[in-house]
Amino acid sequence: MFASKESGDGKKTRIFMWSKNSTRNDVINIAWPVLLELLMGSLFGMVDMMMLGRMGDNSLAAASVSAVGMTNQPLFIGLSLVQALNVGGTAMIARYLGSKRTDKIETTLKHVILLSLIMLAIPISVLGIIFTGPIMKFMGAANDTLQVGGSYFKIIMVGFIFQSFNMSISAALRGIGETKTPMKINLRANFFNVIGNAVLIYGLFGLPKLGVTGAGISTAISNVIASVFLFRYIIKGKSIIKLDIKKSFKIDKNIIYNLVKIGVPASLEQLVLRAGVLMFVRIVAGLGTVVYASHQISLNILSLSFQPGQAFGIAASSLVGRSIGAKELSKAESYAKETRKIGSLISTFMAIIFFFFGPQIVGLYSKDPRIIQNASIALKIIALVQPFQSSQLILAGALRGAGDTFWPLVATFVGVLLIRVVLAHLLVNIFGYGLAGAWMAVFMDQFVRWFFVYMRFRTGKWKYIKIR
């Protein structure tokens, strides 16, 4: 009896000590809004895919799901380049906040917004709209996919301009640890997107039934709505991140230097990643529309599993950047290790769900037994990927927060181009393992990337990266 009471008191003490850890609290306070935002964004995306996958005509549904997958890949290249520039903005703003050089924050934000719009978002959008057909053909789209996906791609590329603007502001807010505001705004926009999708895909309330085109219109409008809310927030000046549109803008050579130093390797990393994923997608697309639809559903579910790693990676970037700015190097390392620990626990839980409940999850997307069988096999492999994927994403986030973007580039080059693409070609085209072979290549890619990033983190050299 006495021993039982003592054991209970010991558990309470451990729980109390766990909850009172200041490093852990800092990590959770920044990470949970990002995690909720990303998870809900992925869930909303999954609902969109389910709506398309469960349209009455199975062949039209498969073509629509494939169209979204194929048009999303070139879109993700553009988003990744914008995000790479934002990595520099997040790291710099976190550093300036830690070193109390807050006068540099607004001008950094202006540089990031203008560069992302003028150099990336607008040119990519225009090229995407002009070359829709050739881009989709290059992606390996079959005739049925081309027929339903062309209008969707053009509309999505218009929304891309506003999405890029949103990403730049959100990245700046996260750099100072302000993650609740972008969460609230993006959740509202995503909620509108889901409602709009239901109305426009199925033609509710007397509106025309637009299918995948309706999904594109709803997504673009939701991006515009998020832009309006985020812009209003930063011009009100209630945050450290503020934008005075009346103040004249001057090019700052030091900020450009820092953005180039941090952003170029991050941009190259994203180009390598997306080029590798494009080649990987073309390999899988050769297996046919139904198998590709299975693959796209698997990717959609995989995107959900990215979220803990991405959320805690963002927390690591902010906290590591601020700590290094304040010259608290041991604290920076503690933050990185704590984010990795918590993110890995969440990813392990998700892995268990994917492994044991794969058919039930895939069944939410499609009633086609072939798609359910193919995607369920992929989900078992996705479950095994989780520990390496989460650790790699979080530690890479810590390195980027320190301004060390070269080694994540090396990890991605080796993992994606030399491992994923080559291995997928061998397993799918040479040895005939089909979709399972493609996902085995994904597993090996994530393992190799984790190894490179982990070894770099262990050296501790990332703590001494300088910015101006």
Side-chain angles (χ1 to χ4, degrees):
M1 188 83 171
F2 179 76
S4 175
K5 183 181 177 185
E6 188 176 15
S7 174
D9 289 343
K11 285 179 183 176
K12 286 178 184 177
T13 302
R14 285 195 296 274
I15 292 169
F16 178 78
M17 292 299 291
W18 193 92
S19 67
K20 289 299 177 185
N21 183 303
S22 61
T23 300
R24 186 173 297 121
N25 285 341
D26 288 343
V27 169
I28 292 171
N29 285 337
I30 292 179
W32 81 258
V34 183
L35 179 57
L36 180 61
E37 177 190 341
L38 294 176
L39 282 174
M40 292 304 294
S42 285
L43 284 170
F44 287 142
M46 290 168 75
V47 170
D48 295 347
M49 197 73 76
M50 290 171 197
M51 288 178 186
L52 292 170
R54 296 177 75 85
M55 290 191 296
D57 184 334
N58 276 355
S59 60
L60 178 62
S64 296
V65 169
S66 294
V68 172
M70 287 183 183
T71 54
N72 276 348
Q73 291 309 319
L75 172 68
F76 287 160
I77 292 176
L79 289 173
S80 298
L81 290 174
V82 173
Q83 187 56 39
L85 184 63
N86 292 338
V87 164
T90 298
M92 289 165 60
I93 286 169
R95 283 275 195 108
Y96 291 143
L97 182 65
S99 60
K100 298 189 169 31
R101 295 164 69 191
T102 52
D103 57 301
K104 289 276 192 180
I105 290 177
E106 183 180 352
T107 187
T108 300
L109 174 61
K110 286 181 177 178
H111 278 78
V112 171
I113 290 173
L114 288 172
L115 289 172
S116 67
L117 288 176
I118 294 168
M119 293 181 61
L120 296 171
I122 294 172
I124 290 170
S125 181
V126 171
L127 289 172
I129 291 167
I130 294 171
F131 298 106
T132 294
I135 290 169
M136 291 187 70
K137 285 178 184 175
F138 174 78
M139 292 296 302
N143 286 332
D144 55 352
T145 303
L146 271 170
Q147 209 166 13
V148 300
S151 298
Y152 173 83
F153 185 64
K154 284 182 168 68
I155 295 163
I156 285 294
M157 292 311 294
V158 173
F160 167 64
I161 296 172
F162 296 95
Q163 194 172 0
S164 300
F165 178 74
N166 301 340
M167 289 169 66
S168 296
I169 297 175
S170 295
L173 290 168
R174 288 168 183 158
I176 63 166
E178 190 174 337
T179 53
K180 289 180 183 176
T181 299
M183 174 199 73
K184 290 174 183 175
I185 291 171
N186 287 318
L187 285 182
R188 283 180 209 155
N190 278 318
F191 179 74
F192 172 86
N193 186 24
V194 169
I195 301 299
N197 276 345
V199 171
L200 296 175
I201 289 172
Y202 299 122
L204 305 179
F205 307 116
L207 291 170
K209 187 177 179 180
L210 298 175
V212 71
T213 302
I217 293 169
S218 179
T219 300
I221 293 172
S222 71
N223 286 328
V224 174
I225 290 170
S227 292
V228 171
F229 280 114
L230 283 166
F231 184 68
R232 279 182 59 196
Y233 180 75
I234 60 171
I235 62 172
K236 283 182 178 178
K238 293 182 179 179
S239 166
I240 296 172
I241 301 293
K242 56 182 179 292
L243 195 62
D244 185 350
I245 54 177
K246 294 177 183 176
K247 188 190 287 186
S248 60
F249 174 75
K250 292 180 182 177
I251 297 290
D252 187 318
K253 292 180 182 178
N254 287 332
I255 289 176
I256 296 290
Y257 172 84
N258 290 334
L259 285 172
V260 168
K261 181 181 177 181
I262 299 170
V264 167
S267 297
L268 290 174
E269 179 196 349
Q270 292 303 321
L271 278 175
V272 167
L273 174 63
R274 291 304 159 190
V277 169
L278 279 174
M279 288 186 268
F280 177 70
V281 163
R282 292 197 72 194
I283 292 168
V284 178
L287 295 170
T289 299
V290 170
V291 174
Y292 185 79
S294 307
H295 174 67
Q296 184 55 37
I297 288 169
S298 303
L299 279 177
N300 198 245
I301 296 167
L302 178 68
S303 72
L304 180 67
S305 75
F306 278 157
Q307 311 314 339
Q310 287 184 327
F312 285 92
I314 287 168
S317 291
S318 176
L319 292 166
V320 165
R322 273 194 274 169
S323 299
I324 292 176
K327 304 193 185 312
E328 296 175 333
L329 304 187
S330 61
K331 196 172 184 179
E333 186 167 351
S334 297
Y335 278 133
K337 289 178 177 177
E338 192 62 40
T339 50
R340 181 188 174 211
K341 190 188 301 180
I342 301 171
S344 296
L345 284 172
I346 296 171
S347 292
T348 301
F349 172 75
M350 296 181 79
I352 293 167
I353 300 294
F354 292 153
F355 192 88
F356 290 106
F357 300 100
Q360 290 82 357
I361 296 170
V362 179
L364 297 171
Y365 287 84
S366 175
K367 295 177 265 189
D368 189 322
R370 295 170 299 168
I371 289 178
I372 292 173
Q373 182 183 9
N374 283 322
S376 297
I377 293 168
L379 272 189
K380 289 196 185 299
I381 301 171
I382 289 172
L384 300 177
V385 166
Q386 293 308 298
F388 303 106
Q389 173 187 281
S390 176
S391 182
Q392 178 261 127
L393 286 169
I394 293 167
L395 291 181
L399 295 180
R400 293 185 188 108
D404 187 358
T405 51
F406 177 74
W407 281 98
L409 164 63
V410 173
T412 300
F413 180 84
V414 176
V416 177
L417 284 185
L418 302 186
I419 303 296
R420 184 192 290 204
V421 173
V422 174
L423 202 55
H425 172 69
L426 290 172
L427 294 175
V428 174
N429 296 332
I430 307 299
F431 296 108
Y433 284 107
L435 190 61
W439 281 91
M440 283 187 255
V442 173
F443 172 81
M444 288 306 300
D445 158 37
Q446 289 288 356
F447 176 80
V448 168
R449 278 197 270 170
W450 165 79
F451 178 78
F452 273 89
V453 170
Y454 178 68
M455 294 308 292
R456 172 61 177 178
F457 178 78
R458 285 197 62 180
T459 66
K461 293 178 180 177
W462 49 273
K463 291 183 272 191
Y464 304 99
I465 303 287
K466 305 287 186 189
I467 70 165
R468 293 180 181 178

